[in-house]
């Protein structure tokens, strides 16, 4: 998403060019990001974004290329927040990968953190990819980077990638289950299967 | 969803009581199910259901407890169709579990089958669980049953459950990726990780 700032922008978006404009843009983005975390994505609108940022929808459109651009940027920031939480929970030097992943799940599933809006966005992208796929485009890449860092350094790049993608997909499946049915027992069983797989992967070194 | 037919229904739903009414209900359900498979869930409405079934929304409401009941029943049928496809692809007697799962993925991801509407429904349930979680309630149970059957018979119930839940969650994660970003390379890497895990699980017997 951040690449958008480097590319040519429509003429009406004049804020990106100046330090002051950029500061204002970030200030608006912060407020909308917090509003999304607090209140979720359901029926989000330019009107709601403007109210959250204490401004008008014209000002929002001056600083962003429309609602979807604003949402994509806010979601990228929220995912960054979640990934930071995940890394903070996972990084203790002498832990195994399996132990780290055990600690990561509650961070991802945490309802109190306000980060479930990220899973809402994935849901929206699955529901209507033609309109909303861009809300999910960079999601996997953001998490994957964190997961690759948790793998033993001695592993080959391909092996890290395969294990990280397996973990990422499984966590996404758990999140889909958790967000829709709240069935913790189901997730616990799947987690036991995943942990065993990771322990074997590490033992195979 | 099918339990709903056994429970007491509002007085206006008189069709369930007679064989003729039940036949008419199934006929309408078939047509709506095919429409969903062909055209997806985006902005689905009573009006669209009525048009697909060649009737009026009053007739739909006579036979179903509203749009959401109709959708839930249609999705249960479509999942049944997908699970049957999955089982047909997976069941060759002498295959390993890993080999079966390799063959299952293309069936789940098949765009031509019209079954991606099932993934749309999961997306909708993730986006707005308060309104749509019921569209996902039985989803896991339907798939899980098929996955349990693919596990070696000699495994304990707990072991089957853990491995089946791991596979289910991973497939859901792959589907979320596939439906939103179409990134086959990412899925292929994760699949390599999953297959290795399943091969080790089977070797540990």
């Amino acid at each position: 998403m951040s690449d958008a700032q480097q590319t040519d922008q429509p003429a009406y978006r004049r804020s990106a060019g100046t330090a002051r404009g950029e500061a204002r843009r970030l200030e608006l983005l912060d407020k909308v990001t917090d509003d999304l975390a607090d209140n979720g994505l359901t029926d989000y609108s330019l009107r709601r974004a403007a109210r959250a940022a204490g401004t008008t929808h014209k000002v929002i459109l001056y600083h962003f290329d429309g609602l979807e651009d604003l949402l994509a940027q806010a979601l990228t920031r929220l995912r960054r927040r979640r990934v930071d939480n995940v890394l903070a929970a996972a990084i203790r030097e002498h832990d195994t990968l399996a132990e780290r992943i055990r600690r990561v799940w509650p961070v991802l599933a945490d309802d109190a953190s306000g980060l479930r809006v990220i899973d809402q966005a994935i849901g929206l992208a699955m529901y209507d990819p033609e309109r909303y796929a861009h809300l999910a485009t960079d999601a996997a890449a953001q998490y994957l980077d964190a997961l690759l860092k948790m793998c033993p350094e001695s592993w080959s790049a391909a092996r890290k990638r395969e294990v990280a993608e397996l973990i990422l997909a499984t966590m996404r499946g758990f999140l889909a289950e958790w967000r829709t049915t709240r069935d913790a027992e189901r997730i616990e069983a799947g987690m036991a299967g995943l942990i065993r797989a990771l322990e074997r992967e590490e033992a195979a070194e």
Side-chain angles (χ1 to χ4, degrees), chain A:
Chain A
M1 302 294 160
S2 58
D3 282 352
Q5 282 131 252
Q6 267 86 63
T7 60
D8 287 329
Q9 295 300 331
Y12 63 81
R13 215 184 122 215
R14 288 154 293 183
S15 64
T18 70
R20 211 176 129 198
E22 182 58 13
R24 177 70 173 135
R25 191 186 70 78
L26 284 174
E27 186 195 338
L28 295 171
L29 183 56
D30 261 343
K31 287 178 178 165
V32 171
T33 303
D34 288 340
D35 181 50
L36 274 173
D38 289 344
N39 302 308
L41 193 57
T42 315
D43 302 324
Y44 210 83
S45 61
L46 263 183
R47 184 187 299 263
R48 212 178 107 191
R51 197 168 45 222
T55 184
T56 64
H57 78 277
K58 276 197 179 172
V59 171
I60 297 279
L61 289 176
Y62 177 90
H63 291 278
F64 299 90
D65 296 338
L67 176 64
E68 316 247 315
D69 173 49
L70 172 63
L71 288 180
Q73 290 193 38
L75 286 165
T76 298
R77 283 164 83 89
L78 286 171
R79 279 196 296 265
R80 184 73 256 157
R81 226 179 260 179
R82 194 192 240 178
V83 168
D84 290 345
N85 292 351
V86 157
L87 284 173
I91 285 173
R92 293 192 211 162
E93 212 156 325
H94 301 293
D95 278 357
T96 65
L97 177 58
E99 286 165 339
R100 287 175 182 182
I101 295 305
R102 267 241 174 260
R103 277 206 311 280
V104 159
W105 168 248
V107 175
L108 289 175
D110 182 8
D111 290 316
S113 71
L115 298 181
R116 71 188 147 212
V117 65
I118 303 167
D119 306 319
Q120 275 194 297
I122 294 287
L124 198 55
M126 286 180 75
Y127 168 61
D128 194 350
E130 282 177 33
R131 277 165 73 191
Y132 300 111
H134 66 282
L135 296 182
T137 312
D138 294 338
Q142 282 185 278
Y143 294 113
L144 200 67
D145 198 47
L147 290 169
L148 290 171
K149 284 187 192 137
M150 288 183 216
C151 291
E153 278 181 44
S154 61
W155 287 4
S156 72
R159 187 177 178 190
K160 283 183 188 172
R161 178 95 198 279
E162 287 165 5
V163 173
E165 292 281 7
L166 169 63
I167 296 170
L168 177 61
T170 311
M171 293 291 175
R172 285 183 147 184
F174 290 162
L175 281 170
E177 189 66 39
W178 181 239
R179 295 295 173 221
T180 56
T181 69
R182 302 265 140 191
D183 194 331
E185 209 186 320
R186 209 179 268 290
I187 293 162
E188 199 41 55
M191 184 64 90
L194 177 64
I195 293 296
R196 200 154 66 235
L198 296 178
E199 285 168 350
R200 286 180 184 141
E201 184 73 45
E202 288 189 277
E205 267 183 297

